[in-house]
Structures are given as structure tokens and as C-alpha cells.
Amino acid sequence: IESSYHNFSVGTVNIGNNTSSFTKLSLTATSGLTNDGTINLTSNYSSSNGLAELEMTSGTLENNGTIQITQGTGGTNATHIIDGEIDNTSDGTIDIDHDLKVTLASGETFTQHGVVDLATSTTLTIEGGTTIIGTGTTFSGTGDVNFTGTAALNLDSNFTLSTAIPVTATGSLTIGSTDATVHTLSNSGTLTLTNDIISSTVSLSNSGTLNIDDNYTRIQGTFHNATLGTTNIGNSTAYL
């Protein structure tokens, strides 16, 4: 799509793969995309090659509706991909019933003010770029979130990590704030850090399980291990 595209509230866009295809099926938008309706990413092919991808080469995917990630009939192995900048607004929902990878280049953002719902045994992988957690953000369900590559997670308000959704940083993640204001990141679930930094603009409160594994992790702001909180420092050097 070589111009801006608007999917209205009653509209549905299906991006999917049939059972005979060995390759991914992609929709590429070069000037941004606004979704007020439904976008489905799905696959019916039982191979890692049979994935669906939505790629933004320029502009932003603004989601005011629903983005559904499903495996389809017979689809089992493919991790679907959204490549490019995303703004999931306060009216938006990303419904993840199958694994999803969000790929961000340096300077690109995944801005979150809406709902991300993760079904059991699903993974949302966020690779690179900057993820912004804003007011109204809700992570629901029982899947997990994994940050990979060189990435940033910035808060523009206080935020609590869900008890049911483990969050892991397997790349190099810097957790900070969108400005100089100190915001509190409360962990009531499981947070696993490897070679990561929690900056001085974030106050970390742990009432769940904090795992610090491998390499160097630095907590530069205040850290409160609350009642019933567990902090595990494994084969690593941690600066608290």
C-alpha cells in the first residue's frame, strides 16, 4: 500500500496463509495505517515459514480497534510479525492467541495506552526500539513478554507488572522514564533481567519474583523488596 490507509470501524483486513504455501504472506504499508476495525494475522500452514507479517516501512500503525493474532486451522509453528512503529491507543486491543514478534528499528516506538491480551502459552517478543508504557495500559491473560536486542522500556506513569504474565529481558534492555519524572515500576509477577539497566528515573518495587541472571545488571534508582518479594541473583554481577 503506497499511500496512507484507513480501515474503518466496520472493516476487516485478513492477512493469512493457506495450507499449501511455504512462504510468508505480507502486507506492507509505506505511509502509515490507521485501524478502527479489525486486522487478523493468521496462518493455516504448519511450518515456521507460514507466517503472516504486517510491515510499516514508513509512518505508524495506529490501532484504535482490534489486532488479532491467531494460528488458524492447522497452523502451529509460525511466529507472526509486526515490523515497524505502533501506537496502540486507549481504544485499541492487541489480542494475542498465537506468538507475535514486534520488530522495531532504532528510533521506532511501540506506544501502549490500550490493552494487550496474551493467551496461555503465547509469547509477545519485542525486538529493539523503544516501548512506551502509558496511562491506561493493560496487560491481561497468562502469556509472557520477552524483550530482545538492544531495547528501551520507558514509563510515562507508574505501572504494575501482572502476576500472571512473566516478563523477561534476554537482550540489553534499559528501563527508564519518558521524562525526568521518577515513576514506579511495581513487579507483582516474575521479572527476569540479564545485562540490563533500570535507570535512576525508575523506582523498582518487587512484591513478586525478581531474577537477575548472567552478566551485568544495574539498578540505578531506588529498589524496594517488599513483603513476600523474592530477589534471586544467579550467575551474575548485580549493582543494586
Side-chain angles (χ1 to χ4, degrees):
I1 301 174
E2 296 183 353
S3 62
S4 59
Y5 180 81
H6 190 172
N7 183 42
F8 286 91
S9 59
V10 294
T12 299
V13 177
N14 295 311
I15 306 169
N17 227 320
N18 61 40
T19 56
S20 62
S21 176
F22 285 85
T23 58
K24 69 181 180 182
L25 187 63
S26 300
L27 172 65
T28 300
T30 62
S31 299
L33 191 158
T34 298
N35 177 49
D36 293 331
T38 301
I39 296 175
N40 296 315
L41 272 70
T42 190
S43 176
N44 293 323
Y45 187 66
S46 59
S47 165
S48 59
N49 294 320
L51 62 89
E53 179 179 22
L54 177 57
E55 180 182 15
M56 313 295 297
T57 58
S58 180
T60 300
L61 168 58
E62 180 182 317
N63 181 45
N64 308 302
T66 300
I67 298 174
Q68 294 181 330
I69 313 298
T70 61
Q71 68 177 17
T73 304
T76 55
N77 297 319
T79 296
H80 301 318
I81 297 172
I82 298 178
D83 186 349
E85 195 156 88
I86 306 170
D87 182 5
N88 191 40
T89 71
S90 58
D91 295 320
T93 296
I94 301 176
D95 187 8
I96 301 174
D97 294 322
H98 192 62
D99 292 347
L100 173 66
K101 181 178 182 180
V102 174
T103 302
L104 302 171
S106 176
E108 291 184 333
T109 59
F110 176 15
T111 303
Q112 170 63 27
H113 291 277
V115 174
V116 175
D117 183 67
L118 293 126
T120 302
S121 300
T122 61
T123 299
L124 168 61
T125 300
I126 303 173
E127 180 180 70
T130 299
T131 299
I132 298 173
I133 301 295
T135 304
T137 296
T138 300
F139 282 86
S140 60
T142 54
D144 58 85
V145 178
N146 183 26
F147 290 89
T148 65
T150 301
L153 173 63
N154 289 341
L155 309 180
D156 70 6
S157 62
N158 298 335
F159 186 70
T160 299
L161 297 175
S162 168
T163 57
I165 301 177
V167 176
T168 303
T170 57
S172 179
L173 179 68
T174 299
I175 302 176
S177 125
T178 54
D179 51 29
T181 304
V182 176
H183 297 301
T184 298
L185 177 64
S186 299
N187 175 47
S188 59
T190 301
L191 173 62
T192 301
L193 302 175
T194 59
N195 196 30
D196 306 301
I197 297 172
I198 299 181
S199 76
S200 60
T201 57
V202 172
S203 175
L204 177 62
S205 177
N206 178 49
S207 59
T209 300
L210 173 64
N211 299 315
I212 300 177
D213 297 333
D214 298 330
N215 299 318
Y216 288 85
T217 292
R218 287 175 285 170
I219 299 177
Q220 298 173 334
T222 60
F223 173 52
H224 180 209
N225 199 48
T227 303
L228 301 180
T230 299
T231 299
N232 300 312
I233 300 177
N235 299 321
S236 62
T237 300
Y239 293 92
L240 307 177

